Amino acid sequence: MEKKTFYITTPIYYPSANFHIGHCYTTIIDDAIARFKRLEGYDVFYLTGTDEHGQKIQKKAEEAGVTPKEYVDKIVEDAKDLWKSLGISYDKFIRTTDEEHVKCVQKIFKQLYDQGDIYKGEYKGLYCTPCESFWTESQLVDGKCPDCGREVNEVSEEAYFLKLSKYQKRLEEYYESHPDFIEPLSRKNEMINNFLKPGLDDLCVSRTSFDWGIPVTFDEKHVVYVWLDALSNYISALGYGSDDDSLFKKYWPADVHVVGKEIVRFHVIIWPIVLMALNLPIPKKVFGHGWLVIDGGKISKSSGNYKDPREYIDAYGVDAVRYYALREVPFGSDGTFSEKSLINRTNADLVNNLGNLVNRTVSMTKKYFDGIVSNPKVNESLDDDLIESCLKLNSIVCSKVDELKVGEALQEIFDVLKKANKYIDDTMPWILAKDEAKQDRLRTVLYNLLETIRICSVYLQAFIPVTAEKIFKQLNTDENTFESAKTFGLLKDGTLLNNPEHLFDRIEIEK
Ligand code: MSP
């Protein structure tokens, strides 16, 4: 039987400066979802990449005295290195300067023009260069860009327009008939009230005032508006419009576009309308997450209020950073990022809860039974709760991930680990060890702990893969599949555990 497919995307990031922890946030969350779906047996396509055109990048390159392509090449190389150090398992990294993408965008533009959905007119308006966004007077806040608070410029030029207005009704009907299309719900209401109710204006989709963009094939002084260029990445990456569109046929429509809250509107207004005009299916879901903030402000390239994420990875380990990004902020809300909370999270959950549990369990098995696993099944009633919690995890974790609540999925897993720690306190293996008659009970207790660790680690492979691998190595088992986590008792009698290895060191907070 063919596997079910799952297509997940991050936004493609502007390579205007090196990436910060805010970019890592989305990419790590998507990575965990992608890994989880693979584990579940889906055929996953995980796409990320870079959005390389536009006036902002052109300006940056000029300032740096290099060509735009040279400028972005360097940042892209650095971004790929960052994703590697975070263990990001993307299937494709798309760049909007890729030839295949450029051709695809040109084809889309031409088709929309030929069928009358794009027409030529004159653009007069206000433009925010850092956000690459057009605004109307009434949308400004104190005369400034409502998204970033910076100056907007008046521009007037000959331009092509996309007929958004023609599709407004169809879009509204689509929202109606697909209540899960935009999440969280608050973002949907915001879109309806702020953009649809006032009525959609046709969108300016070409520029002539700079040239770092994709040329319009039939009118070369125009370059394609960067958002039309960028949004098309989600299908150009799959070969849409090329000689080989097999990936497109296989994976489109996307299961979820995960994006930051400030760019939801591009994804739920412009993008579906482009797809409708192209007669293509609409993505199943657009999820708008909140921002990581520092001292109340968004961490951003322009404010410079951040460290290179690799500094955190070097200091605390990749899984501490991943765990923090996945666990700390409820997905959808804003959350404060601080190194102190990263340290507290790591100490509380990874060092105390997970690390200690694994270490104590493996060490006790080494100490009392030379590391040999066995399950004589001398069970007592207090075992039932632990075993049941392990078995229940499957459906709970799956549905949390399906709702994109990765932090809650992790919490469920860590609740079971917590229970296992309590089980050690309740059963007191060190007391059992002193009593000859209790040896089989002791074996059973340790077995239950090892199985709990194994089952939790199956799921942890999606979230903190390096640590999960280390645990499986200590357990010396290859029972690590999704299916294997549905059964309690797969760790074989006679398995010889490997030596315990510290998973996480306690981090001291500098005074
Ligand atoms: N290039 C566009 C996206 C095009 S997608 C077809 C863009 N790029 S961006 O680099 O400015 O931002 C990319 C993503 O990073 C956005 O989803 C944005 O919300 C996210 N983040 C940037 N800073 C962030 C935080 N401080 N916290 C969380 N996410 C943040 O927009």
Side-chain angles (χ1 to χ4, degrees):
M1 205 176 68
E2 281 217 353
K3 282 190 187 177
K4 278 196 284 184
T5 61
F6 187 80
Y7 181 25
I8 182 168
T9 66
T10 70
I12 47 172
Y13 306 103
Y14 291 129
S16 50
N18 285 350
F19 294 177
H20 55 68
I21 195 82
H23 304 112
C24 298
Y25 177 68
T26 322
T27 314
I28 293 170
I29 289 170
D30 274 20
D31 183 68
I33 298 168
R35 283 177 186 263
F36 193 87
K37 287 294 188 185
R38 287 190 199 107
L39 194 67
E40 252 188 287
Y42 283 77
D43 177 340
V44 172
F45 198 86
Y46 172 21
L47 178 70
T48 190
T50 40
D51 183 1
E52 306 187 0
H53 294 123
Q55 197 169 8
K56 180 168 65 175
I57 303 267
Q58 184 163 357
K59 275 196 175 156
K60 284 268 184 185
E62 272 163 23
E63 282 161 24
V66 294
T67 65
K69 185 65 170 48
E70 282 166 347
Y71 185 84
V72 293
D73 277 351
K74 236 175 111 195
I75 293 172
V76 167
E77 199 182 313
D78 189 75
K80 285 186 174 167
D81 176 72
L82 175 61
W83 295 156
K84 198 168 164 206
S85 28
L86 280 170
I88 304 302
S89 63
Y90 58 77
D91 294 287
K92 182 170 172 128
F93 187 108
I94 187 162
R95 303 181 55 178
T96 53
T97 49
D98 290 343
E99 200 187 320
E100 200 187 24
H101 172 79
V102 170
K103 281 196 185 139
C104 175
V105 170
Q106 289 178 324
K107 214 165 164 179
I108 291 173
F109 200 97
K110 176 84 167 57
Q111 183 185 330
L112 297 182
Y113 179 74
D114 288 345
Q115 69 191 39
D117 282 319
I118 285 180
Y119 62 91
K120 198 166 181 172
E122 166 149 342
Y123 181 75
K124 277 204 195 77
L126 302 158
Y127 193 71
C128 173
T129 308
C131 294
E132 307 277 11
S133 292
F134 293 104
W135 299 104
T136 60
E137 198 75 50
S138 64
Q139 287 170 324
L140 301 184
V141 176
D142 299 329
K144 305 256 168 68
C145 169
D147 272 355
C148 73
R150 279 172 285 203
E151 295 290 338
V152 293
N153 301 314
E154 249 192 68
V155 290
S156 163
E157 55 190 50
E158 171 194 292
Y160 288 89
F161 288 84
L162 174 65
K163 284 187 185 163
L164 292 190
S165 48
K166 173 178 159 189
Y167 291 93
Q168 162 141 7
K169 197 149 177 23
R170 263 180 75 185
L171 187 65
E172 282 169 359
E173 282 163 9
Y174 188 80
Y175 286 8
E176 274 297 287
S177 55
H178 296 79
D180 300 332
F181 175 53
I182 309 174
E183 280 185 17
L185 200 61
S186 56
R187 310 246 188 264
K188 174 172 165 175
N189 298 334
E190 198 183 308
M191 292 301 127
I192 294 175
N193 293 331
N194 297 358
F195 297 100
L196 293 185
K197 282 204 177 136
L200 290 177
D201 291 327
D202 289 350
L203 176 76
C204 176
V205 286
S206 79
R207 307 294 312 277
T208 52
S209 55
F210 62 93
D211 60 7
W212 177 238
I214 299 182
V216 173
T217 45
F218 51 90
D219 196 350
E220 290 242 337
K221 68 175 187 295
H222 289 261
V223 293
V224 176
Y225 172 45
V226 68
W227 271 99
L228 182 58
D229 169 353
L231 290 163
S232 307
N233 93 88
Y234 299 128
I235 55 176
S236 74
L238 301 178
Y240 171 73
S242 76
D243 297 341
D244 178 4
D245 64 355
S246 52
L247 290 177
F248 177 76
K249 289 202 175 103
K250 185 169 178 191
Y251 293 107
W252 192 254
D255 289 270
V256 58
H257 292 315
V258 178
V259 302
K261 60 181 179 181
E262 84 285 17
I263 60 170
V264 168
R265 68 190 179 96
F266 299 95
H267 287 81
V268 302
I269 297 175
I270 303 175
W271 184 224
I273 287 181
V274 171
L275 291 165
M276 281 173 188
L278 293 171
N279 210 6
L280 295 176
I282 313 293
K284 292 179 201 154
K285 190 188 294 301
V286 173
F287 189 97
H289 64 71
W291 293 335
L292 289 187
V293 297
I294 290 183
D295 302 330
K298 182 184 174 207
I299 303 168
S300 72
K301 286 177 238 168
S302 46
S303 66
N305 56 350
Y306 61 88
K307 278 192 191 173
D308 184 322
R310 275 160 292 208
E311 287 189 37
Y312 306 121
I313 302 173
D314 292 344
Y316 313 121
V318 54
D319 280 348
V321 177
R322 286 180 64 106
Y323 184 80
Y324 179 80
L326 294 166
R327 179 72 175 80
E328 186 72 10
V329 181
F331 203 40
S333 319
D334 286 351
T336 303
F337 173 83
S338 79
E339 203 159 342
K340 196 165 155 220
S341 59
L342 193 163
I343 293 173
N344 287 338
R345 237 327 141 199
T346 306
N347 283 341
D349 293 2
L350 297 177
V351 178
N352 289 353
N353 201 349
L354 175 63
N356 278 355
L357 174 69
V358 175
N359 199 267
R360 286 161 89 191
T361 306
V362 174
S363 300
M364 286 191 288
T365 312
K366 282 277 168 200
K367 183 169 166 194
Y368 302 136
F369 302 113
D370 297 323
I372 296 170
V373 176
S374 66
N375 183 15
K377 297 192 178 150
V378 181
N379 285 298
E380 291 184 10
S381 59
L382 91 166
D383 302 357
D384 297 345
D385 183 41
L386 184 67
I387 295 173
E388 206 147 288
S389 307
C390 289
L391 294 175
K392 273 198 206 138
L393 258 189
N394 193 276
S395 68
I396 299 176
V397 175
C398 287
S399 62
K400 291 287 183 199
V401 173
D402 283 340
E403 293 167 51
L404 308 180
K405 293 180 177 158
V406 282
E408 289 181 26
L410 267 177
Q411 187 174 347
E412 295 287 346
I413 300 168
F414 275 72
D415 281 350
V416 175
L417 295 171
K418 208 183 271 171
K419 236 178 217 178
N421 277 307
K422 179 158 185 306
Y423 180 78
I424 298 185
D425 298 340
D426 291 343
T427 52
M428 294 187 284
W430 50 94
I431 306 283
L432 296 174
K434 288 188 187 136
D435 186 343
E436 255 324 296
K438 296 275 171 64
Q439 293 307 292
D440 276 353
R441 173 62 188 152
L442 177 58
R443 285 191 177 88
T444 307
V445 164
L446 291 174
Y447 186 85
N448 289 341
L449 288 166
L450 289 165
E451 264 301 272
T452 303
I453 293 169
R454 182 187 70 78
I455 289 174
C456 290
S457 301
V458 168
Y459 304 117
L460 290 178
Q461 293 177 108
F463 305 95
I464 45 173
V466 172
T467 305
E469 198 185 323
K470 283 186 189 162
I471 296 174
F472 280 113
K473 192 173 151 224
Q474 291 183 50
L475 298 185
N476 195 14
T477 177
D478 50 15
E479 294 286 2
N480 62 355
T481 64
F482 187 73
E483 271 315 298
S484 80
K486 293 179 184 166
T487 310
F488 195 97
L490 291 185
L491 201 57
K492 287 185 196 64
D493 270 16
T495 302
L496 174 61
L497 299 188
N498 283 313
N499 285 335
E501 185 196 338
H502 251 290
L503 297 175
F504 296 94
D505 291 323
R506 169 168 299 284
I507 309 164
E508 300 301 333
I509 298 191
E510 283 171 35
K511 294 264 159 24

